[in-house]
Amino acid sequence: MPPSVPSLPRRVARILRTSLFAQVAVALVLGIVVGKLWPGFASDLQPLGDGFIRLIKTIISPLVFCVVVVGIAKAGDLKAFGRIGLKALIWFEVASTLALLIGLLAANVVQPGSGMNVDPSTLDASAVDAKTGGGALPSTTEFIVNAIPTSFIGAFAENALLQVLILACLVGAALLHLGHTKVPQVLPAIEQAQEIIFAVVGFIMRLAPIAVFGAMAVLIGNYGLGVIETYAKLIILCYAAAALFIALLAIALKLLTGLSLWKFLRYIREEMLLALGTASTESVMPRVMQKLRKAGARDDAVGLVLPTGYSFNLDGASLYLSIGTLFIAQAVGVDLTLGQQVTVILVLMLTSKGMAGIPGSAFLALSATASSLGAIPAGAVALLLGVDRIMDSMRVVTNLLGNCVAVFAVSRWEGALDLDKAKKVLDEGKAEPDPEEEVVEAVVPAQKTKETASGVS
C-alpha cells in the first residue's frame, strides 16, 4: 500500500513549524496588516522588536571575542591577521567611496528634490535634535581614541565592538606567544564558550517572528503608507541606486571568487528577511557569522572583517547620505557647484565611518555636511525625518550584503577561503543542519510513523 501523501494543511503546518523563513515571512505580513488596521494598538508593540534586538546585542560582543581569538590561535599567524585587517580597510574605503559616488551621480541625474521649493524657515529644526538626542558624531581623533578600551569588562558591558576586537587580538596574540604547552586549557575553553553562544543564538532566533511582527506593525502604524506617496521620487531613486550598487557587488564577487551573490542571498534568506523586518543588521550578525564560517570563510577573516565592517563599511548609509544631501539642497533651491559636491564626498567619507550605534547618526552626518558647505540651512535636514524609517530596508540590505561580500573578497585575497566548500554550500542553498534542526527533522518522521500506525492518513 503506497504511503499516504500529507494533506495541504499539514504540509503548510509542517513548513511553518520547521522553517524560520516561512515564520518570519508570515509575521512580516501580519505586522503590516495589524499596523494598517489598528495603528494605535500597533504602536504599543514596540517592545517586541526592541526586546529581541537587546537579546541579540547581549551575545554579539562575547561571540566576536571568541571567534577572533580562536581564529588567530588556530591560524597560528598574527601577521596574516594584520594583513586581513589592512586589506579589509582598503576594501571598505573603496566600496563606501563607490557608494557615495553612485549616490551623488544618481541625485544629479534624477534631481529628486527639484521643484519642491521648500522654505527652510517653515521647518522645525528642533525635531532633528529630538531624533539625534542633541548629540554629535565623534571627530576622527575621538573615534580612534574611543576604539581603545579603558577596561576589559567595560568593552563588553558597553558592547563596543572595536574595543572588543582589540582585546580579542591581544588575547589571541598572547595565546600564540605562550603556545599550547603553557596554557593548554584556555583555547578549548574559548571554543566551548563559542559553541554555547551559538546555541544561545539558536534559542533567541525562535523569537524572531515575534520581533518582526512587532517591528513591522510599529512601522506601518506610526508612518502609514502615505509617506511613500509624498517622497516617491526620492524613495525610488534610493532603492534603484542600491540595486545598482548590489549588482556591482555581485559582479565583483563573481570576478574575485567565482561565487554567485544571488545564491548567497538564497543561503541567508532567513537572516535577510529578519534584518528587513527589524530594520537592524545587528539582529542577524551572530547567525551571519556562523553561516559565513560554514560557507568556507576562515574564522579569523570572519571574526575581523564582518564586525569591523559594521563601523567602517556602511555602504547603504553612504548611498543614502549622498542622495539625501543633494535632495535637501535641491528642495530648498540651492544649486551646489562641482567643488561643493566634491566637498560633500570628502566630508561624508569621514562622517560615514563610525556611525553604527549612534542614535540618529544619519541626521548627524547630514547636519555636519550641511554645516561644512555653508550653503544649506541646517534646519533643512528635517525634510528627511518623515522618510528616514522607510529607507532602513535599503540601508539594511545594502550594508549587510556589502559586508558579506567583503568577507568573501578579503578571505579570497588572503587565501583564507575554501572555495570548493563555499560553492558546495551555496549551490545547496543551506549550511550543515544545526543540532536543533536535526532534532526537529527526527521528530517529524517519528510522528508520521505513529500516525500511520494508528490509521491516520
Side-chain angles (χ1 to χ4, degrees), residues 25 37 49 57 65 106 113 138 155 167 175 186 198 203 244-245 259 318 348 353 356 368 383 386 416 439 447:
L37 297 180
K57 282 185 174 181
F65 178 82
L167 292 173
L175 284 176
V186 174
F198 277 127
F203 297 149
L244 172 61
F245 182 80
L259 300 177
S318 297
L348 290 178
K353 304 295 185 291
L383 274 172
V439 170
Q447 290 175 339

Side-chain angles (χ1 to χ4, degrees), residues 6-23 430 437-448 451:
S7 62
L8 180 60
R10 285 188 177 178
R11 288 203 298 270
V12 172
R14 181 179 182 275
I15 291 172
L16 288 175
R17 187 172 66 250
T18 59
S19 171
L20 178 63
F21 179 80
Q23 293 168 6
K430 62 180 181 179
E437 293 173 356
E438 291 177 345
V439 170
V440 172
E441 293 297 324
V443 169
V444 173
Q447 290 175 339
K448 285 185 177 178
E451 290 171 353

Side-chain angles (χ1 to χ4, degrees), residues 10-158:
R10 285 188 177 178
R11 288 203 298 270
V12 172
R14 181 179 182 275
I15 291 172
L16 288 175
R17 187 172 66 250
T18 59
S19 171
L20 178 63
F21 179 80
Q23 293 168 6
V24 172
V26 170
L28 198 69
V29 174
L30 289 177
I32 293 173
V33 172
V34 170
K36 180 65 176 175
L37 297 180
W38 302 286
F41 170 70
S43 299
D44 296 332
L45 299 177
Q46 184 77 37
L48 296 180
D50 290 349
F52 176 81
I53 293 175
R54 280 179 175 238
L55 283 173
I56 288 291
K57 282 185 174 181
T58 60
I59 58 175
I60 286 178
S61 290
L63 176 60
V64 169
F65 178 82
C66 291
V67 170
V68 171
V69 170
V70 171
I72 293 176
K74 282 191 170 182
D77 185 0
L78 197 60
K79 290 183 179 179
F81 194 74
R83 289 196 304 269
I84 290 173
L86 178 61
K87 291 172 180 177
L89 290 177
I90 293 172
W91 178 275
F92 294 158
E93 193 57 49
V94 171
S96 57
T97 302
L98 177 62
L100 288 170
L101 290 172
I102 289 175
L104 207 65
L105 178 63
N108 274 295
V109 171
V110 179
Q111 300 277 319
S114 62
M116 293 185 70
N117 301 319
V118 175
D119 182 0
S121 63
T122 63
L123 299 173
D124 184 10
S126 62
V128 177
D129 292 333
K131 179 78 173 179
T132 61
L137 288 176
S139 65
T140 303
T141 304
E142 290 172 336
F143 177 74
I144 294 172
V145 171
N146 290 339
I148 302 172
T150 55
S151 73
F152 201 98
I153 303 300
F156 290 88
E158 296 172 8

